[in-house]
Amino acid sequence: MDVFDQAASLINNSEKLVVFTGAGISTESGISDFRSPGGLWEKYDPSEFMFDKFLASEETRKRYWEMNQSLWPTIVEAQPNTAHIAIAELDQMGKLDCVITQNIDGLHQRAGAPDEKVIELHGTTLWVLCLNCAKRYPRQEIHDRVEAGNKAPYCDDCGGILKPATISFGQAMPERETREAENRSAKCDVFLVIGSSLVVYPAAQMPVLAKRGGAKLIILNMTPTPHDDYADLIIREKAGETMVQIMERLKV
Ligand code: NAD
């Protein structure tokens, strides 16, 4: 049996499959990850955008929005790839308990995964939030304002600071989503990681909870992760092509 057969067999025997995704699942859709060569952290220094700095300084907010503005057209143009589509198909086959994602690009839902089965641990960049009154704005609306010269926008209703509805370093994790992800991870029987370096916590704790709960752990990632030692199956290949191989074996 090759690794694709082994993954298909584990998924086939699963009754509660949790898929956990990171930036690596979306690189084949044209969205860079953070840590690979050419990734975002080669262009920007993450420490510059810690949440406390964002709150404290309008200059930092202007820089943050400038970075975000440059990424938005890529997000708008990106299409779900075969890995996102495979996960939606796993749901149609009745296999998927949920997908826990660190991604903020909305590609799982656009591929057809139902909203209620996608747990966005780090928020979404498709919306902008007022940090004071929690009013939500469609991202494009605020993008246009910033492009028009409003370089660090404020809320129309209360004057609060606006920020994309994503979780920055140093910002509190969303409570409901984190609890839900922890519960689902602890109760699944197969936990499939796709495209995550598994170094960002508390997200990277999820495979640990799954293993403790008795699940089989599959890690599909191009590079090694700190959790490889206790994985049941490691596939160091590209996510999109690999998921096609696995799905072919599941459908026969
Ligand atoms: P990461 O950048 O730390 O790691 C991505 C991993 O994916 C790397 O280990 C890399 O080897 C692997 N990879 C890259 N392309 C791959 C492919 N085609 N197939 C298989 N593996 C591939 O990303 P992370 O661990 O997800 O976490 C960093 C944070 O970055 C997260 O909080 C996430 O929200 C955020 N992020 C999100 C997006 C997005 O929404 N698309 C993009 C960049 C960063």
Side-chain angles (χ1 to χ4, degrees):
M1 285 216 293
D2 63 21
V3 282
F4 309 122
D5 292 327
Q6 290 175 52
S9 161
L10 286 169
I11 293 170
N12 217 9
N13 292 326
S14 158
E15 282 173 4
K16 260 188 189 302
L17 169 70
V18 168
V19 181
F20 177 90
T21 64
I25 195 175
S26 295
T27 56
E28 288 165 72
S29 294
I31 304 174
S32 300
D33 63 15
F34 279 175
R35 291 176 178 78
S36 294
L40 286 178
W41 293 153
E42 277 188 3
K43 286 186 222 142
Y44 297 96
D45 174 3
S47 67
E48 203 188 333
F49 299 120
M50 293 291 290
F51 188 55
D52 55 350
K53 290 190 183 163
F54 180 89
L55 291 180
S57 144
E58 188 171 82
E59 272 319 300
T60 302
R61 292 198 285 280
K62 285 182 182 166
R63 287 268 303 146
Y64 179 84
W65 276 104
E66 185 189 299
M67 172 189 79
N68 259 269
Q69 293 294 103
S70 70
L71 299 176
W72 177 241
T74 311
I75 303 272
V76 173
E77 278 159 30
Q79 296 299 321
N81 65 53
T82 48
H84 298 103
I85 292 164
I87 295 168
E89 285 176 359
L90 286 168
D91 180 55
Q92 284 146 22
M93 292 163 73
K95 283 279 165 205
L96 186 72
D97 182 59
C98 69
V99 45
I100 301 170
T101 188
Q102 300 179 90
N103 293 345
I104 52 163
D105 55 29
L107 289 179
H108 287 301
Q109 296 90 326
R110 284 179 51 201
D115 281 348
E116 66 277 11
K117 286 200 178 182
V118 182
I119 301 174
E120 291 175 318
L121 271 185
H122 295 162
T124 172
T125 200
L126 306 187
W127 292 91
V128 171
L129 262 188
C130 170
L131 296 179
N132 183 48
C133 73
K135 179 173 176 176
R136 289 204 323 165
Y137 297 78
R139 178 56 187 272
Q140 188 65 48
E141 188 184 320
I142 304 302
H143 179 86
D144 294 344
R145 275 193 216 182
V146 179
E147 286 301 297
N150 187 352
K151 293 193 159 92
Y154 292 93
C155 180
D156 294 335
D157 284 2
C158 74
I161 293 170
L162 294 186
K163 181 178 174 295
T166 54
I167 306 296
S168 295
F169 289 111
Q171 190 172 0
M173 293 287 288
E175 261 176 51
R176 189 188 60 78
E177 284 83 354
T178 306
R179 206 171 38 241
E180 187 73 14
E182 287 169 350
N183 284 338
R184 304 280 187 133
S185 300
K187 288 186 188 141
C188 71
D189 57 11
V190 172
F191 191 92
L192 168 60
V193 175
I194 307 181
S196 175
S197 57
L198 297 178
V199 297
V200 177
Y201 279 83
Q205 183 66 11
M206 303 303 160
V208 179
L209 296 176
K211 261 318 254 192
R212 270 193 213 141
K216 299 283 186 198
L217 174 62
I218 308 172
I219 299 180
L220 162 54
N221 197 57
M222 293 229 291
T223 52
T225 82
H227 296 319
D228 287 0
D229 281 352
Y230 59 86
D232 296 278
L233 183 63
I234 294 172
I235 309 178
R236 289 224 179 100
E237 304 279 350
K238 282 187 151 188
E241 292 160 17
T242 302
M243 288 311 292
V244 169
Q245 293 289 333
I246 294 172
M247 295 308 287
E248 275 174 10
R249 286 156 173 82
L250 275 177
K251 284 174 188 164
V252 290

